[in-house]
Amino acid sequence: MPTSDLLNQDLQEREPADMADPGADEPSPRTESPDGEGRVSEDRSLLHQRLAIRELIDTEVSYLHMLQLCASDIRGRLQQLPQGDLDVLFSNIDDIVKVNSRFLHGLQETASREEDQVQLIGNLFLEFQEELEQVYKVYCASYDQALLLVDTYRKEPELQREIQGIIEAVVPQAGSSGLSFLLVIPLQRITKYPLLLQKILENTLPDASAYPVLQRATHALQDVNANINEYKRRKEVASKYTKVEQLTLRERLARINTHTLSKKTTRLSQLLKQEAGLVPRTEDKEFDDLEERFHWVSLCVKETKNNVAAYLDNLEAFLHFRPQECDLDVGGGPVVQYCSLTRDLQLQAFPEFKRRLEGLVWQPLCSLAKTLAGPQNLIKKRLDKLLDFERVEEKLLEVGSVSYEEEVARHTYQALNSMLVAELPQFNQLAMQWLRQILCTFVALQRDLAKQVLQRAEGSLAQLPHHHIPELAFRKLVEDALGQTSHQLHSFQKNFEKVLPPPTIQPLLPGAERQVQALLSRYGPGKLYQVTSNISGAGTLDLTLPRGQVVALLQNKDTKGNSSRWLVDTGGHRGYVPAGKLELYRVVPRDKELRGQAGPHEDSRHLTPEPTPVPVSSVPTMTQVVAVYPFLARSSHEVSLQAGQPVTVLEAQDKKGNPEWSLVEVDGQRGYVPSSFLARAPSPAPWGWSLPS
Amino acid sequence: MSWIPFKIGQPKKQIVSKTVERDFEREYGKLQQLEEQTKRLQKDMKKSTDADLAMSKSAVKISLDLLSNPLCEQDQDFLNMVTALDTAMKRMDAFNQEKVNQIQKTVIEPLKKFGSVFPSLNMAVKRREQALQDYRRLQAKVEKYEEKEKTGPVLAKLHQAREELRPVRDDFEAKNKQLLDEMPRFYNSRLDYFQPSFESLIRAQASPSNSRLLILPLWMSTLPCF
């Protein structure tokens, strides 16, 4: 609604009588008199000019006086109103007071310079043009809101009476009009300037040196007023559309009525016509470029926001894992220091980093992203209004005139467009500045974090055993250390693996030993198997064997190729037995019976594995040994040796535990020989074989 | 001649002394604890380094996305700033990667190796347990025959049972001793193992490349940041 224009007109008509107006409006009597009286009219013009100038200055004085009364006295006494209200009512009246004080001062100075006064006044206006526009446009734009407030006050009689009382006390001539009367004064003043200037101009001779300046000044002030109106209209339009409304679906549906439907259909048909090429689209390169840039800026902001969010998530995840909380039961040293360093970092340095990141980077990014919504909406609306505008233009061409609403639509589009064109570049620039700042902050925070980490790490570093060693040398050191310990670990592992499953040796059936020896000598140790559970043969070639019997393997499959049926020799019979009931047989030495019930500890000494890589079995193996020197037995406990004779060591010590004597078997005889006479043979004996490792 | 194991109960004689058993439990318990902690440490360390890398990767993404924005072609100032940012982020990422590699080599790999010994240990303990069970069973059998009236067949069976028992008993004793010896040694070896790892961890944090990181943003501040 172009209220400002109407208001403008209103103001020009409504001049309150109580405004001190000494120089009453006098119509300049331009009586065209024949040539002789040209001089007289000239003088009269000059007189009118002087009067007009006087009027200008005097009204300025009283205007400023009223302003100051409003700004300080009245505002000061309206204490019962909240500060927010006062700000809306009086807007930037202080700025106006400042500008107009200086302006008045300038005006008063021109009074001393008689001849040049007109020119100086013109120059003064031109000088102040920009400032006046800036300061008054703000006030005018918020005037409507101030009026709304005044209306609400009027509804409360109590408050109204108080306000009236204050006004009457300060400005008696205000009468019963109240606040609205006072607040409108600046609007009246700014619109009066062009009129006052016009009056001076009318009474100035066109060939006077001051004329062009004055003319320019008049036009300038007219422009100021036009700009203020435009600014106000833009603000109204913008405030109408910038509110990004959160409507529910139901609310949106409720909003649909015939009017909105027709509006939208018209737009859609316009758009379709454009797409189809039936109607030329209004190309506005300048706007399109701006919009594109805005779009890229929004893209920057959105992507950065998403990426920072991802970064924060990862930071969160990082803080979640606490390797330093593991307890390795280590008293001191680097492990403990590492734990305390990491704890420090996780409890202090990183949380602070996170906090700062959230406050100094994330929050501003979110705010920046939010500000994008307003312009986005306006751009969208502009497009809609553009379609309306184009339709109206078409209609104008066809019909010649348009309705009031259509005129309004035109104006709205133009207002939107001009506002966007004027303000988008600034917005883009500000948004980029802000983003730049945020990114610089991000980097600065990273640096601070790195500094923190470095500081604390260096503190710990100083306490480490090898801190004086340079990095490369240290790495070599660690590599070597780890290599060594890795060897150690490997040997541990091997050792643990050597703890073998228990032997499932069945005791020999009585009297079977000789049979076992026979089988052993015929087939060799690798072929002996023991029956683990009773076998009852079914077929003619199957054997029936009791548990514990030792047999020799002849074939590990039968004639048909069945590998679960093995052909074995019992020493007397041959036949088939199921392979599952056989287990590899390990020969147990008989010397245990000779030694009697020796304690388990003695045995275990032979059973503990040595740290050398020789795999030691849990069953004592018979090692192949050879006699180096000849030895003559001197008693029945001893046995004779020949040099080079292979012997079988049954026990490497005597009954009393003396290692100087060994119990050996040679040539079927058993007895003790000096241990030093024996040596290990390089080739393994048929008796001694190590368990498969 | 099939023995029904259920008929035979627990041996009367306490075959393994209480102190030995207690010692064993204590040592094994410590190792079990260590195993758990090692596993946990390995897992946490891996996850922590992964998260660290993810962080710097997402930082790099910030500048990458900005670089691909068309504004870079239009606005020289913007391009300068984004390029500087990109360089900074990439350097940070490179440092992180290097740090993580170092950690992988000197901490995580060794931890894995350390942990790989435990399955063997656990198997060995199981086998000892099994041997103990066998030992108990056979001991009970022997005792049963010892209590019976010493007739011929009984004596033969007693002899047989004693023959069966002997190797099993020896086997158990062997396993027991071996483990009692090795377990504390293994437990103590962790010190030699972990200290160098952790020392290099700390050094990775304080390495010169980290301090190089501090210099980076300084030349970002030479850019016009109003």
Side-chain angles (χ1 to χ4, degrees):
Chain A
M1 291 288 117
T3 51
S4 49
D5 281 336
L6 294 174
L7 187 62
N8 208 357
Q9 285 165 355
D10 261 352
L11 291 175
Q12 286 179 332
E13 286 152 8
R14 243 190 342 133
E15 284 210 48
D18 9 334
M19 277 278 300
D21 203 63
D25 282 357
E26 276 179 10
S28 46
R30 295 277 192 129
T31 48
E32 294 287 306
S33 40
D35 2 82
E37 300 217 319
R39 194 86 189 266
V40 175
S41 63
E42 220 181 87
D43 283 340
R44 199 174 277 164
S45 297
L46 202 58
L47 180 65
H48 285 305
Q49 194 198 49
R50 293 248 175 271
L51 286 174
I53 293 174
R54 273 281 309 282
E55 183 188 347
L56 171 65
I57 297 179
D58 290 344
T59 49
E60 187 70 24
V61 170
S62 57
Y63 165 64
L64 193 60
H65 177 66
M66 280 293 263
L67 267 189
Q68 280 161 338
L69 280 180
C70 281
S72 32
D73 290 25
I74 294 184
R75 178 158 61 169
R77 289 185 206 202
L78 284 172
Q79 284 308 317
Q80 60 267 63
L81 298 175
Q83 185 58 38
D85 281 10
L86 287 175
D87 285 342
V88 171
L89 285 175
F90 292 101
S91 188
N92 64 339
I93 203 170
D94 295 324
D95 293 335
I96 296 180
V97 166
K98 278 196 205 120
V99 172
N100 274 92
S101 310
R102 285 178 15 234
F103 182 69
L104 178 61
H105 184 69
L107 273 181
Q108 282 163 339
E109 278 198 336
T110 64
S112 52
R113 316 267 295 279
E114 280 265 347
E115 275 89 57
D116 299 327
Q117 190 173 27
V118 180
Q119 180 142 14
L120 288 171
I121 289 177
N123 282 329
L124 190 68
F125 269 103
L126 287 172
E127 202 184 300
F128 271 82
Q129 175 189 12
E130 188 63 39
E131 268 189 87
L132 287 172
E133 184 177 324
Q134 290 302 325
V135 125
Y136 276 89
K137 81 177 178 186
V138 174
Y139 186 86
C140 296
S142 67
Y143 177 69
D144 282 344
Q145 252 191 314
L147 275 189
L148 284 173
L149 264 183
V150 171
D151 266 342
T152 56
Y153 296 155
R154 215 169 264 157
K155 295 201 183 99
E156 284 180 51
E158 183 67 42
L159 186 60
Q160 183 63 13
R161 244 176 292 138
E162 280 176 22
I163 294 174
Q164 274 305 112
I166 292 171
I167 293 175
E168 276 163 23
V170 177
V171 185
Q173 60 271 54
S176 53
S177 320
L179 262 179
S180 56
F181 159 73
L182 290 173
L183 293 175
V184 87
I185 292 175
L187 271 80
Q188 294 172 337
R189 189 64 189 164
I190 191 72
T191 51
K192 190 99 162 122
Y193 286 134
L195 301 174
L196 289 169
L197 278 172
Q198 186 72 30
K199 205 190 286 184
I200 301 175
L201 191 66
E202 280 169 3
N203 289 311
T204 311
L205 296 171
D207 54 357
S209 57
Y211 193 84
V213 178
L214 208 54
Q215 201 172 33
R216 268 189 296 138
T218 317
H219 288 151
L221 265 292
Q222 283 164 350
D223 284 343
V224 165
N225 274 287
N227 290 344
I228 290 177
N229 274 332
E230 181 67 21
Y231 179 80
K232 188 172 161 133
R233 187 174 341 149
R234 282 192 206 162
K235 277 249 139 178
E236 282 167 4
V237 163
S239 62
K240 183 172 165 194
Y241 292 121
T242 25
K243 280 182 296 164
V244 184
E245 294 178 47
Q246 304 288 337
L247 298 173
T248 63
L249 186 61
R250 189 188 277 172
E251 284 166 335
R252 282 188 209 270
L253 285 173
R255 275 199 171 178
I256 294 178
N257 54 29
T258 45
H259 175 65
T260 55
L261 273 177
S262 74
K263 211 165 54 165
K264 290 193 196 298
T265 26
T266 317
R267 283 189 194 143
L268 188 60
S269 67
Q270 186 72 13
L271 190 62
L272 287 172
K273 277 196 264 181
Q274 278 182 358
E275 295 291 330
L278 294 171
V279 163
R281 191 180 306 189
T282 313
E283 288 267 321
D284 189 343
K285 181 109 190 13
E286 188 189 357
F287 185 82
D288 286 344
D289 284 344
L290 274 177
E291 191 195 342
E292 196 180 45
R293 197 183 167 90
F294 172 76
H295 177 69
W296 291 336
V297 169
S298 332
L299 193 66
C300 266
V301 173
K302 280 205 191 90
E303 278 182 342
T304 308
K305 182 172 163 212
N306 287 341
N307 288 336
V308 170
Y311 184 85
L312 278 172
D313 284 343
N314 285 331
L315 178 59
E316 187 82 43
F318 175 75
L319 285 177
H320 185 252
F321 299 113
R322 310 219 178 96
Q324 73 276 11
E325 282 178 2
C326 291
D327 177 22
L328 297 170
D329 188 25
V330 177
V335 177
V336 168
Q337 273 165 6
Y338 169 77
C339 289
S340 73
L341 171 67
T342 319
R343 204 173 301 130
D344 227 3
L345 288 175
Q346 276 214 338
L347 290 178
Q348 286 181 13
F350 276 96
E352 193 185 316
F353 172 65
K354 179 164 173 244
R355 204 177 35 87
R356 289 177 84 199
L357 209 60
E358 282 170 351
L360 296 171
V361 173
W362 176 247
Q363 293 291 353
L365 256 182
C366 288
S367 309
L368 178 55
K370 274 201 200 121
T371 64
L372 293 173
Q376 221 145 41
N377 225 34
L378 282 176
I379 290 174
K380 204 162 50 147
K381 269 297 164 193
R382 174 198 165 270
L383 183 63
D384 289 344
K385 295 297 175 190
L386 178 60
L387 293 170
D388 292 346
F389 174 75
E390 285 168 344
R391 263 228 80 248
V392 169
E393 292 284 286
E394 267 178 40
K395 188 168 169 209
L396 203 60
L397 286 173
E398 291 164 19
V399 178
S401 72
V402 289
S403 70
Y404 180 67
E405 280 106 14
E406 286 161 340
E407 192 66 37
V408 165
R410 273 183 86 213
H411 283 302
T412 315
Y413 161 72
Q414 280 164 334
L416 257 181
N417 193 53
S418 55
M419 185 187 80
L420 282 172
V421 167
E423 301 200 357
L424 257 186
Q426 221 185 353
F427 179 87
N428 286 341
Q429 197 190 17
L430 280 173
M432 287 316 294
Q433 273 184 22
W434 198 353
L435 186 66
R436 233 180 277 235
Q437 194 66 39
I438 291 174
L439 289 171
C440 283
T441 313
F442 181 75
V443 175
L445 288 184
Q446 295 282 356
R447 179 188 53 194
D448 286 349
L449 177 69
K451 203 158 40 163
Q452 283 272 309
V453 170
L454 191 64
Q455 241 174 12
R456 285 171 212 251
E458 276 175 347
S460 291
L461 198 66
Q463 297 170 37
L464 291 177
H466 300 104
H467 68 274
H468 50 279
I469 297 181
E471 186 64 20
L472 277 178
F474 175 76
R475 284 200 192 173
K476 186 85 183 36
L477 203 66
V478 169
E479 243 180 76
D480 290 342
L482 286 179
Q484 260 181 7
T485 43
S486 159
H487 269 298
Q488 205 180 31
L489 280 184
H490 196 62
S491 73
F492 277 127
Q493 190 166 3
K494 272 248 139 69
N495 288 346
F496 288 133
E497 279 169 3
K498 277 186 252 161
V499 177
L500 293 156
T504 49
I505 297 177
Q506 314 287 344
L508 284 180
L509 296 168
E513 278 187 26
R514 208 162 297 146
Q515 177 215 23
V516 171
Q517 308 295 24
L519 283 175
L520 199 54
S521 49
R522 188 135 61 115
Y523 294 103
K527 296 270 190 225
L528 292 190
Y529 286 82
Q530 189 172 37
V531 177
T532 52
S533 59
N534 295 339
I535 300 173
S536 34
T540 41
L541 292 171
D542 293 335
L543 296 175
T544 300
L545 300 175
R547 178 168 172 263
Q549 171 117 21
V550 177
V551 297
L553 176 68
L554 294 173
Q555 279 245 316
N556 60 1
K557 55 178 187 279
D558 66 8
T559 49
K560 296 199 185 97
N562 183 2
S563 60
S564 59
R565 235 175 130 222
W566 289 0
L567 181 66
V568 298
D569 185 5
T570 65
H573 307 281
R574 290 187 183 196
Y576 287 102
V577 293
K581 291 197 177 172
L582 292 180
E583 200 178 76
L584 196 64
Y585 180 66
R586 302 171 196 134
V587 185
V588 179
R590 285 174 51 225
D591 62 304
K592 294 219 180 165
E593 288 174 303
L594 288 175
R595 279 189 295 113
Q597 295 291 327
H601 300 288
E602 253 183 287
D603 288 345
S604 62
R605 200 153 49 76
H606 291 270
L607 302 178
T608 46
E610 290 148 38
T612 58
V614 175
V616 177
S617 62
S618 54
V619 173
T621 52
M622 293 189 249
T623 50
Q624 176 55 14
V625 163
V626 169
V628 182
Y629 314 108
F631 174 73
L632 198 58
R634 299 161 304 180
S635 69
S636 59
H637 295 290
E638 297 164 6
V639 70
S640 299
L641 288 179
Q642 285 167 26
Q645 195 176 23
V647 305
T648 310
V649 175
L650 302 173
E651 185 66 40
Q653 58 184 33
D654 68 6
K655 283 203 185 134
K656 298 202 187 89
N658 188 353
E660 281 175 46
W661 292 92
S662 296
L663 177 67
V664 302
E665 182 178 324
V666 61
D667 284 349
Q669 286 185 312
R670 290 187 181 198
Y672 285 95
V673 297
S675 304
S676 50
F677 280 47
L678 304 172
R680 266 183 215 288
S683 57
W687 287 97
W689 42 275
S690 44
L691 290 165
S693 55
Chain B
M1 283 226 287
S2 56
W3 306 103
I4 303 170
F6 306 111
K7 275 193 183 164
I8 300 167
Q10 287 302 315
K12 304 240 170 63
K13 185 170 88 179
Q14 184 69 15
I15 47 178
V16 180
S17 76
K18 276 209 163 56
T19 37
V20 168
E21 196 60 37
R22 198 187 57 212
D23 285 345
F24 190 88
E25 289 299 314
R26 190 189 60 223
E27 289 301 318
Y28 188 52
K30 283 202 307 201
L31 277 169
Q32 279 178 315
Q33 176 83 346
L34 184 64
E35 180 183 6
E36 194 189 304
Q37 291 295 313
T38 315
K39 274 207 187 101
R40 185 176 153 197
L41 178 65
Q42 195 186 335
K43 201 172 68 160
D44 276 355
M45 195 67 84
K46 180 92 183 42
K47 293 231 175 99
S48 175
T49 48
D50 283 346
D52 200 349
L53 273 181
M55 256 171 69
S56 57
K57 291 266 179 282
S58 55
V60 170
K61 188 163 191 294
I62 296 178
S63 57
L64 265 183
D65 281 346
L66 283 174
L67 264 180
S68 63
N69 192 296
L71 273 177
C72 287
E73 291 160 24
Q74 284 198 346
D75 192 341
Q76 187 62 36
D77 278 343
F78 181 74
L79 178 64
N80 289 343
M81 183 204 77
V82 171
T83 316
L85 181 73
D86 190 49
T87 317
M89 295 293 114
K90 285 205 171 105
R91 259 206 227 175
M92 188 170 80
D93 187 39
F95 161 70
N96 258 6
Q97 187 70 53
E98 190 189 310
K99 185 175 75 174
V100 165
N101 285 346
Q102 184 70 3
I103 291 178
Q104 180 77 20
K105 212 169 54 166
T106 56
V107 181
I108 295 182
E109 291 291 335
L111 271 177
K112 240 192 256 180
K113 276 210 199 110
F114 192 79
S116 68
V117 179
F118 284 103
S120 312
L121 169 67
N122 292 334
M123 277 305 291
V125 170
K126 273 207 190 85
R127 289 193 212 112
R128 172 200 174 266
E129 188 58 37
Q130 203 176 355
L132 182 59
Q133 294 308 322
D134 285 344
Y135 182 16
R136 282 212 174 100
R137 180 170 54 88
L138 292 178
Q139 179 71 23
K141 206 159 69 166
V142 167
E143 281 168 5
K144 175 184 130 190
Y145 282 111
E146 274 173 350
E147 283 163 15
K148 277 198 179 158
E149 206 186 306
K150 302 268 199 278
T151 61
V154 170
L155 274 176
K157 286 189 186 157
L158 177 62
H159 172 79
Q160 184 110 27
R162 285 215 186 105
E163 286 304 303
E164 266 187 316
L165 175 65
R166 193 174 293 128
V168 170
R169 181 187 60 216
D170 295 340
D171 177 57
F172 167 76
E173 293 295 341
K175 288 183 164 68
N176 194 47
K177 181 157 195 313
Q178 182 194 13
L179 285 174
L180 274 177
D181 279 343
E182 295 284 308
M183 285 202 293
R185 279 177 55 200
F186 177 50
Y187 188 73
N188 289 334
S189 78
R190 77 193 184 293
L191 290 173
D192 295 331
Y193 206 62
F194 293 144
Q195 302 285 34
S197 286
F198 280 83
E199 191 170 345
S200 66
L201 246 188
I202 299 180
R203 286 181 75 120
Q205 300 279 19
S207 78
S209 40
N210 194 2
S211 55
R212 243 187 282 133
L213 205 60
L214 294 180
I215 306 173
L216 287 177
L218 285 181
W219 57 273
M220 265 208 82
S221 63
T222 63
L223 291 170
C225 291
F226 337 114

